[in-house]
Amino acid sequence: MQTDPTISRLLMLRSGAIAVQLIAVLSVYFLLDYQLALLPLLGVITLEAAFQLISLFAYRKVSHAKPSVMLMQLTADVLFLTILLSLSGGATNAFVSLLLLPIMIAAVTLREKGLAYIALLAIAAYSFLLINMPDHSMHQMNMSGHFVGMWVNFVLSTSVIALVIGAMSRALKERERVIAKAREKQLRNEQLVTLDGAAAQITHQLATPIANLQLLFEELLEEQPNNTIVKQMQTPLEQCRDQLNSFRALSEQIRVKNAKDQITIDQLQTAINDTFLLQYPGQHIKWFSPPINAILLSDAMLLPAILNLLQNAATANQKQGKTELELSWELNQQDQCIDLLIRDFGDGFTPSQLAELGGQVMPSEQGMGLAVLLSNATFERLNGSLTLFNHIEGGAVAKVQLAIINSEQAAQ
């Protein structure tokens, strides 16, 4: 498992900082003959190195570090640096501006509250160093005003970093999120266009064999009008012909009209009941709520998209020997939409399926695994959405969010 790049970079930066601190302290003490509290400084650096080793061990296999982890690490950096500065001149130390580094890192890794906390902590650390600053004079002039001015400059720099860099970082993250979402949508649309072309080609290729089978059936029926097996062929052939004609009409409607329509919830519920009963006579739909008095945004693909989900639910039920599906309507006042909840009593989804369903083609034992992908694309085109999750009492739930056109008009 790969370590989170953010925490990895922070730990790498601290490793370099510890090495630089050690070299700087030893060089100043032995080469420049500057009086430092050598043993306390080495003790603090040793403690920081031990904390670094513990952090490296603890986060070596963490693929995604929580914001609280970054907050703790940056807090430790501020505290260690403050102690080192307090033992080497405090606010008079030329390296006191290094307190800006944790703020810069926080600006690009943490949210507003975390950034504000690190900024205030750094300002408090600088203020502590200023208050406990040793007496200092240069050329008989009191330098306290100069160091106060440096503190004011630090506060201003901290504010600028927190506001400007923080805002730029959030803008970049939002832009990356939008670009990633647009790229994902474009790839899915390309996939759907490919599937649409393949479906049209297959439909066209099936037309001739079905027509030939119909002619052969009519000839057999004339020659053997009392043959039971020949008569049984009539219903499947009629279903194939009707489905093929339905595909053609639907394709023509989408290609020519290509416009959104509207439908009442009562009409949609009736269409769901009638169509599903024909396809799965052994399954029963139990409605837990009456149709809500509202008109929904619709098109020619809305009902097939819902039926795709119902077919998956019915298949899951059949595997467990169940015969009932639970459906309900809910008014989502927060999002100003209607939620259609479809629950089955199957095995439910695995975590990997929940992560991938609706975004890409899934392997399927019964078909090509396109149902959820196509349904999700239809709902999004109608300003809706599809959410899949497991029910707490078993089975799976498909939550379809549908956009409302007018919630006041009654069904006509």
Side-chain angles (χ1 to χ4, degrees), residues 158-367:
T158 299
S159 302
V160 170
I161 291 173
L163 294 175
V164 177
I165 297 182
M168 292 176 62
S169 175
R170 289 190 296 273
L172 287 175
K173 289 179 181 178
E174 178 64 20
R175 181 182 178 185
E176 291 176 356
R177 187 189 67 81
V178 172
I179 292 175
K181 187 175 181 179
R183 185 183 298 113
E184 179 183 356
K185 186 175 181 180
Q186 180 182 0
L187 291 174
R188 187 177 59 189
N189 289 339
E190 291 176 356
Q191 188 178 37
L192 291 175
V193 169
T194 303
L195 292 173
D196 180 63
Q201 184 177 3
I202 292 173
T203 301
H204 177 72
Q205 292 175 349
L206 284 175
T208 301
I210 290 176
N212 291 336
L213 287 174
Q214 181 66 30
L215 292 175
L216 291 175
F217 164 73
E218 292 174 356
E219 292 180 2
L220 283 173
L221 189 61
E222 291 179 358
E223 295 177 359
Q224 305 180 32
N226 298 322
N227 191 316
T228 305
I229 297 178
V230 174
K231 290 181 178 180
Q232 291 177 351
M233 295 172 57
Q234 183 174 2
T235 300
L237 282 173
E238 289 179 352
Q239 290 177 344
C240 290
R241 187 176 65 252
D242 293 341
Q243 288 289 346
L244 188 62
N245 292 333
S246 176
F247 291 154
R248 286 173 173 171
L250 183 61
S251 176
E252 183 69 17
Q253 183 180 359
I254 294 175
R255 182 177 62 85
V256 177
K257 187 177 180 181
N258 195 25
K260 295 180 176 61
D261 204 344
Q262 62 184 35
I263 188 173
T264 65
I265 293 182
D266 185 61
Q267 291 171 340
L268 181 58
Q269 179 170 320
T270 301
I272 291 173
N273 288 332
D274 294 344
T275 310
F276 183 76
L277 180 62
L278 291 175
Q279 296 185 3
Y280 288 89
Q283 295 288 318
H284 172 65
I285 293 180
K286 181 179 180 180
W287 291 93
F288 276 82
S289 59
I292 298 175
N293 189 21
I295 297 178
L296 303 175
L297 188 64
S298 174
D299 67 5
M301 290 301 297
L302 176 59
L303 181 60
I306 296 176
L307 290 175
N308 284 339
L309 302 178
L310 289 172
Q311 289 170 0
N312 287 343
T315 302
N317 262 7
Q318 290 173 343
K319 290 181 179 180
Q320 297 297 319
K322 305 295 183 179
T323 60
E324 186 175 82
L325 298 178
E326 295 182 354
L327 276 68
S328 62
W329 300 103
E330 292 183 0
L331 177 61
N332 190 333
Q333 295 181 349
Q334 181 179 358
D335 297 330
Q336 292 297 309
C337 62
I338 297 293
D339 293 337
L340 171 60
L341 301 179
I342 303 173
R343 181 196 173 189
D344 63 56
F345 294 87
D347 294 329
F349 300 111
T350 64
S352 59
Q353 286 176 326
L354 287 175
E356 296 175 357
L357 278 170
Q360 61 185 46
V361 178
M362 289 290 296
S364 174
E365 297 178 358
Q366 288 76 31

Side-chain angles (χ1 to χ4, degrees), residues 84-106:
L84 288 173
L85 290 171
S86 66
L87 295 174
S88 56
T92 66
N93 193 312
F95 295 99
V96 70
S97 59
L98 289 176
L99 284 170
L100 291 173
L101 286 179
I103 304 173
M104 294 179 183
I105 297 175

